[in-house]
Amino acid sequence: MKPYLISLLMGVLAGLVYSLLQIRSPAPPVIALLGLLGMLIGEQLVPLARRKLSGEPLTAAWFRTECVPKITGAPPANTTPAQPEKK
């Protein structure tokens, strides 16, 4: 949640700077961003259909570990961060 909040706040700050400089922001309109979200969600329909056609169960745990990270960009909850190798 923290990265999302930081991203939002930095976007607001950038918007303020653009407004103070009286120039138009190059950011896409909200409708374009919703289209991108739809694309991310749509990408997950193929793995979902393949899983269903193969007879594998569609569980909340599978959705949470396979689909949600690809949509939100967050690392899967069931993995631990890689530890650097000690020399």
Side-chain angles (χ1 to χ4, degrees), residues 5-82:
L5 185 59
I6 291 170
S7 180
L8 177 64
L9 291 174
M10 291 299 105
V12 169
L13 179 63
L16 287 171
V17 170
Y18 275 104
S19 181
L20 290 172
L21 296 174
Q22 297 181 351
I23 56 176
R24 188 177 160 103
S25 167
V30 172
I31 194 150
L33 298 175
L34 288 174
L36 290 172
L37 177 61
M39 288 170 59
L40 289 171
I41 292 170
E43 282 183 46
Q44 300 313 306
L45 294 178
V46 172
L48 185 112
R50 285 183 180 152
R51 188 172 178 93
K52 185 68 176 169
L53 290 172
S54 70
E56 296 179 55
L58 299 174
T59 63
W62 173 80
F63 184 77
R64 195 171 41 250
T65 59
E66 294 295 321
C67 294
V68 172
K70 292 175 184 171
I71 294 171
T72 64
N78 66 344
T79 62
T80 58

